[in-house]
Each structure stands twice: as C-alpha cells, then as structure tokens.
Amino acid sequence: MRKPVLEFQDVSFSYGGKKPILDHLNVTVYEREFVTIIGASGSGKSTLFRLITGLETEEHGRIRINSEQPKNRHGRTGYMPQQDLLMPWRTVLENAAVPLELAGVSKKESSIRILPLLNEFGLNGAEHKYPSELSGGMKQRVSFLRSILTGSNILLLDEPFSALDAITRLSMQEWLLDQWEKREKSILFITHDVNEALFLSDRIFVFQDTPVRTLQEVVVPLGRPRSLRDLNDPAVMELKDKLIDQLRGGVKRL
Ligand SMILES: Nc1ncnc2c1ncn2[C@@H]1O[C@H](COP(=O)(O)OP(=O)(O)O)[C@@H](O)[C@H]1O
Ligand SMILES: [Mg+2]
C-alpha cells in the first residue's frame, strides 16, 4: 500500500468568512508522487498551498502531513512560493542556507552541506553571487535548493517556471524530474501549462469552480523515464485537448 503523505479531510476555507474557496474538500497525495494542480487564475491553487504550509488555517476538517496532524505546520513542507522570494541582500549560499539557519545549524556546517549541492544544481561558482546577478533559471534552482534543505519529504512548488523563457523552461522540467527521482520526494506543483503538467505528473488535479468541492483527477498515461517526445502520444494528445476544454469551461463560467 502506498503511504499517504498529505491528506485533506473534509476541509473548508474562506478568507475572513467571505467568499468560500474550499468546501468540504478531500484530497490525498502519496509518497513519491508527482501531482500537478492546474486551474484558472483565482481558483484557489495558491490558497491550497498556504493551507498546507500553515500560513492559513482551515475553518473545518483536518489537514494531515505524514499521517500526523501537527498543531504547527510551519516548516513541515518545502515551499517555493509563486513570487521569487530570494532575499536580494543575501548571496546564493546565504539564501540557500535559510532553512538550516532556522534549524540552528552553524554557518560553517551549513556551508559544508550546501557547497557540494551547488554543483549538482548547476550553481557552482555562484555561491557568493547576489540574486540580481543570476539568470531566471538559476534563481529558481536556488529557491528549489532552499526548499530541499528543509529536509521535508513534501515539496510545494507554485508556478516555479512561469517566468522562464520556453527553452530554459523545458530544461528545468527535465532537471526537476531528475531531482525528484533522485531525492524520493512527493511534489505538488502548480502550473497554467497543460503540457508541463502532462510531462511532469503522475496525476493532475483540475481546479475548476470556486468553491472547490471535488477535484477532477486525471492519471497521466505515461511511464517513466519520460522524454518530451512522449507528449506526442495519441492518448496524451487527446487528454491534452480534454484538459484545455475543461480549463476553458472553467474560465467561461467566471
Ligand atoms: N490574503 C487574501 N485575502 C483575501 N482574499 C484572497 C487572499 N489571497 C487570495 N485571495 C482570493 O482568493 C481567491 C483564490 O486565490 P489564489 O489561491 O491565489 O488563486 P490562484 O493561485 O488559483 O490564482 C482569489 O479570488 C483571490 O483574490
Ligand atoms: Mg496562485
């Protein structure tokens, strides 16, 4: 049996009692799964992550992480928010070190742990650079490294590649799949891009109407390892059209 790492049980949420965003929602994500969430802007995708990280609190129901219901969810997951949150006054090394710093690891020890990883993340030689000196792809890799260094088995990535040019984006997708397989994490990934969702995921959740009551779930009919060419598979192309229609339907109703 696959182990659940994240469970929403009957969860409801609204901002300040106003417009309901989630309405008695049930969701389970399993260990080492790659799940993508797609949906129209404003449908509540980022809110789902804010609930998981404990930045917001559910009004009803339970959110379980690794089969526990922690009182404080801060730091239980590796979170990469939608805006690039690298601190401009900190170097690559200092930005990546934030979760270790919060865990009380010394500066020296954290450098010893981070420096070998920079190589693997294509950031060798960049340790003393500032975010303004990095390309978009490099900044995203620093953010990703920071989320990995939380040590959590669950990573939440909110539209991490949306600001990248098309070619960088494709390389980052391949790179992310490599990292995901190597590090044995469960990843929840938000995107607007149906191709990206199909290439990366085991399952895709579609956020359609707010409030979200049930998530439409799609299992991607592709094995692993995958290549971008696999997206030309007829079953995948058909699925892609279906997903785009669904997303359009959601937008029309707004
Ligand atoms: N801090 C907040 N306070 C009040 N309303 C919010 C807040 N954050 C988001 N919202 C509203 O909640 C809805 C869902 O937002 P969000 O989860 O960011 O959507 P998505 O990530 O799918 O684009 C939107 O209508 C948005 O305006
Ligand atoms: Mg969002």
Side-chain angles (χ1 to χ4, degrees), residues 107-159:
K107 252 191 171 156
K108 192 170 160 219
E109 169 69 22
S110 95
S111 302
I112 293 172
R113 281 167 63 179
I114 293 171
L115 285 172
L117 286 168
L118 289 178
N119 199 14
E120 201 176 322
F121 279 65
L123 295 163
N124 43 324
E127 59 266 32
H128 300 304
K129 289 206 164 130
Y130 288 90
S132 60
E133 301 173 88
L134 305 178
S135 70
M138 287 168 93
K139 279 193 229 174
Q140 293 308 85
R141 287 193 295 258
V142 179
S143 285
F144 185 72
L145 175 56
R146 191 169 55 182
S147 68
I148 291 268
L149 287 168
T150 57
S152 173
N153 58 332
I154 306 165
L155 303 180
L156 310 173
L157 313 179
D158 195 346
E159 302 196 27

Side-chain angles (χ1 to χ4, degrees), residues 15 19 21 40-47 50 56 82:
Y15 284 104
K19 191 176 114 184
I21 310 271
S41 231
S43 58
K45 304 181 297 298
S46 297
T47 302
R50 294 171 60 80
E56 305 291 348
Q82 196 164 352

Side-chain angles (χ1 to χ4, degrees), residues 40-64:
S41 231
S43 58
K45 304 181 297 298
S46 297
T47 302
L48 190 83
F49 279 12
R50 294 171 60 80
L51 280 161
I52 299 169
T53 55
L55 287 170
E56 305 291 348
T57 306
E58 61 280 18
E59 287 161 357
H60 184 272
R62 302 196 295 170
I63 297 175
R64 284 157 57 90

Side-chain angles (χ1 to χ4, degrees), residues 78-233:
Y79 177 39
M80 203 169 140
Q82 196 164 352
Q83 321 80 342
D84 162 36
L85 279 190
L86 295 181
M87 292 173 245
W89 62 90
R90 283 183 165 224
T91 63
V92 165
L93 188 61
E94 290 164 346
N95 264 295
V98 171
L100 299 180
E101 230 170 271
L102 291 175
V105 177
S106 75
K107 252 191 171 156
K108 192 170 160 219
E109 169 69 22
S110 95
S111 302
I112 293 172
R113 281 167 63 179
I114 293 171
L115 285 172
L117 286 168
L118 289 178
N119 199 14
E120 201 176 322
F121 279 65
L123 295 163
N124 43 324
E127 59 266 32
H128 300 304
K129 289 206 164 130
Y130 288 90
S132 60
E133 301 173 88
L134 305 178
S135 70
M138 287 168 93
K139 279 193 229 174
Q140 293 308 85
R141 287 193 295 258
V142 179
S143 285
F144 185 72
L145 175 56
R146 191 169 55 182
S147 68
I148 291 268
L149 287 168
T150 57
S152 173
N153 58 332
I154 306 165
L155 303 180
L156 310 173
L157 313 179
D158 195 346
E159 302 196 27
F161 303 151
S162 52
L164 303 177
D165 65 84
I167 300 299
T168 308
R169 187 170 183 149
L170 293 179
S171 332
M172 288 294 289
Q173 289 168 4
E174 287 171 332
W175 179 82
L176 179 64
L177 278 187
D178 260 7
Q179 289 294 326
W180 165 70
E181 283 181 10
K182 209 176 292 172
R183 295 180 188 281
E184 308 188 347
K185 305 281 186 190
S186 301
I187 293 185
L188 249 83
F189 185 103
I190 296 176
T191 183
H192 276 113
D193 182 335
V194 173
N195 273 327
E196 185 167 80
L198 288 165
F199 179 54
L200 295 174
S201 332
D202 298 314
R203 285 190 294 158
I204 300 173
F205 293 155
V206 186
F207 262 50
Q208 234 166 358
D209 293 311
T210 312
V212 180
R213 294 196 176 89
T214 49
L215 288 183
Q216 169 115 30
E217 183 194 312
V218 169
V219 176
V220 178
L222 286 174
R224 303 204 187 256
R226 295 179 185 175
S227 83
L228 285 161
R229 281 177 196 279
D230 294 336
L231 294 180
N232 300 330
D233 179 287

